[in-house]
Amino acid sequence: MNTNIRIFKAFGIPVELNISWFIIFALVSWSLVSGYFPSAYPHLSVAAYWIMGLAAALLLFVSVLLHELGHSYVAKTRGVPIKRITLFLFGGVSQLSKESADPRTEYLIAIAGPGVSFALMVIFFIFYRIVSDASQGGPVAPVLKYLVYVNGILGTFNLIPGFPLDGGRLLRAFIWKVTGDLQRSTYIASKVGGAIGLAFVAFGFISVFLGRFVFGLWMVLIGFFLRQAAQASYLQVVVTNTLKGVKVGDIMKAEVVTVAPDITVQDLIDNYFFRYHYDCFPVTEGGNLRGLVTLESIRHVPRERWQDTPVSEVMLKDLERLRVRPQDDAAEVLRRVVRDRCGKMPVVDRDKVVGIITRKDIMEALRIFSDLGH
Ligand SMILES: [Zn+2]
């Protein structure tokens, strides 16, 4: 579920759909078309239920998008650029490029999302009243009523005071203002988030045992999600704080063994993999990066072809994804390494390979700097 599809840009921020969105969208539309609308409004036609279900699911999506754009807009005006917005049907994640500079900024960014949701709730309610007075029993009013509810739920759920939910961010801003310590307030807010997640899990299991199976399962899922999110975002703050100002160039290995693109796979195995015990080598020509060859990339070459297959034929060539620059932030590169599950990255300065950085190097730097109280 880690694949995102970019759909458009808003305020210059890329907006992405997580692929799980399509599955949830189908499920939600289906449950509205076949369950909610027919049972709440039994006198309408099947075609009407379809239109209502799809319209309601789409407007739920728009509501989530506007909630996230609320965060993004305030963040942008307060000098915290947003990298991207990723949307799931029930919520989104606005990925901030850095932490807020002060508790007030944190508070304003956090409150903006639920603020938008509650504003939408009121707007949909006004429309609902107008429409339901004008047309008795039409298909529009039920959709509007549904949107009043979901926006209320979106606003309220996000105010749960567990980091990284908006309410948790508000709690963190409050503790931050009192203690003046961002890392400590993140720690407390994420502990509260973890505890609330656990409460959801427990409540979910009790509900399942009491026979409310689907509802209970949802609660368990939300609980696990909250726990995991709380832990991940705390780690992210620790990493970002500890590695603040540390550049790739500071911690990379400057001695790097490179291979030429025209050597054979046999040569690569005998003279590089066996000799140096690394699991990947940058491929260079006159010092310029051409690709990266890993154990994985030669695994599918049959043994009898080792003698006549050049490295250039099997190397990874997606240079944009593979390389980093000396001036890149170590914390950001660590996130890339974890996300792409790529253990090593060549460090390239003006097309020349100047070093190599591994996940291990960054973890080591993280350990050293946190021991030093950096
Ligand atoms: Zn939010």
Side-chain angles (χ1 to χ4, degrees):
M1 292 289 173
N2 259 334
T3 314
N4 297 324
I5 299 154
R6 182 165 298 191
I7 43 175
F8 54 78
K9 280 191 168 189
F11 305 128
I13 305 157
V15 178
E16 301 177 344
L17 277 187
N18 185 273
I19 55 157
S20 67
W21 186 90
F22 293 97
I23 301 162
I24 312 269
F25 183 82
L27 276 175
V28 167
S29 312
W30 178 74
S31 73
L32 288 172
V33 170
S34 65
Y36 174 73
F37 285 128
S39 65
Y41 309 92
H43 52 280
L44 295 168
S45 69
V46 174
Y49 294 138
W50 272 100
I51 294 167
M52 288 159 74
L54 289 174
L58 268 179
L59 286 165
L60 164 61
F61 165 67
V62 172
S63 301
V64 169
L65 175 64
L66 289 173
H67 173 112
E68 289 310 317
L69 287 177
H71 290 304
S72 304
Y73 179 74
V74 174
K76 214 178 166 182
T77 56
R78 300 284 303 185
V80 182
I82 305 283
K83 275 226 186 84
R84 69 181 71 87
I85 296 175
T86 308
L87 295 168
F88 307 85
L89 192 61
F90 295 123
V93 176
S94 296
Q95 200 186 340
L96 308 181
S97 61
K98 57 179 187 192
E99 293 290 343
S100 310
D102 54 274
R104 190 177 152 72
T105 301
E106 174 81 0
Y107 163 81
L108 290 172
I109 296 173
I111 200 77
V116 168
S117 294
F118 289 127
L120 286 171
M121 184 180 84
V122 172
I123 292 167
F124 281 123
F125 181 72
I126 293 169
F127 277 122
Y128 166 69
R129 289 309 296 265
I130 295 170
V131 171
S132 61
D133 285 349
S135 69
Q136 293 295 327
V140 180
V143 174
L144 291 168
K145 190 172 170 189
Y146 172 77
L147 289 163
V148 173
Y149 283 127
V150 291
N151 276 291
I153 293 169
L154 273 179
T156 311
F157 176 77
N158 277 291
L159 283 179
I160 292 173
F163 194 73
L165 290 177
D166 300 335
R169 289 188 168 272
L170 293 175
L171 177 65
R172 177 169 84 150
F174 176 72
I175 305 172
W176 185 6
K177 190 161 173 59
V178 173
T179 64
D181 186 340
L182 173 64
Q183 192 156 319
R184 199 177 141 68
S185 47
T186 309
Y187 178 73
I188 298 169
S190 57
K191 279 288 167 206
V192 175
I196 290 172
L198 199 62
F200 266 85
V201 173
F203 179 64
F205 275 121
I206 293 168
S207 304
V208 168
F209 283 121
L210 294 177
R212 303 181 66 191
F213 191 76
V214 176
F215 174 78
L217 220 53
W218 270 116
M219 293 296 118
V220 171
L221 278 177
I222 291 171
F224 276 124
F225 163 76
L226 286 179
R227 280 189 73 75
Q228 195 242 329
Q231 205 179 13
S233 30
Y234 175 64
L235 275 180
Q236 190 178 328
V237 172
V238 172
V239 168
T240 312
N241 253 10
T242 310
L243 292 179
K244 192 181 247 172
V246 178
K247 303 293 177 195
V248 166
D250 304 334
I251 56 173
M252 70 182 188
K253 279 196 191 73
E255 318 83 62
V256 46
V257 181
T258 62
V259 302
D262 51 358
I263 69 164
T264 63
V265 169
Q266 183 75 58
D267 201 3
L268 178 74
I269 292 169
D270 293 344
N271 295 318
Y272 292 90
F273 281 122
F274 282 150
R275 231 171 100 194
Y276 295 101
H277 304 265
Y278 298 157
D279 55 9
C280 82
F281 294 94
V283 181
T284 60
E285 210 171 8
N288 293 323
L289 185 67
R290 291 284 176 265
L292 192 74
V293 66
T294 65
L295 271 178
E296 192 58 44
S297 39
I298 58 167
R299 187 162 289 165
H300 65 274
V301 181
R303 190 175 269 268
E304 60 275 17
R305 296 225 33 226
W306 284 2
Q307 287 283 10
D308 52 25
T309 306
V311 162
S312 57
E313 212 170 278
V314 295
M315 67 186 183
L316 303 168
K317 298 185 187 91
D318 187 4
L319 297 184
E320 269 321 305
R321 197 177 64 85
L322 297 173
R323 68 174 167 200
V324 294
R325 292 166 308 157
Q327 65 270 30
D328 287 344
D329 284 324
E332 178 56 33
V333 171
L334 180 60
R335 271 194 280 281
R336 261 175 74 178
V337 166
V338 171
R339 190 188 61 206
D340 298 346
R341 290 196 208 94
C342 156
K344 279 193 179 60
M345 288 176 145
V347 183
V348 177
D349 191 15
R350 287 181 219 92
D351 286 340
K352 299 279 179 202
V353 176
V354 294
I356 194 155
I357 191 157
T358 65
R359 181 189 177 136
K360 228 173 93 192
D361 295 331
I362 309 176
M363 297 308 284
E364 192 67 6
L366 189 61
R367 193 183 62 77
I368 293 168
F369 284 125
S370 64
D371 280 356
L372 292 173
H374 180 80

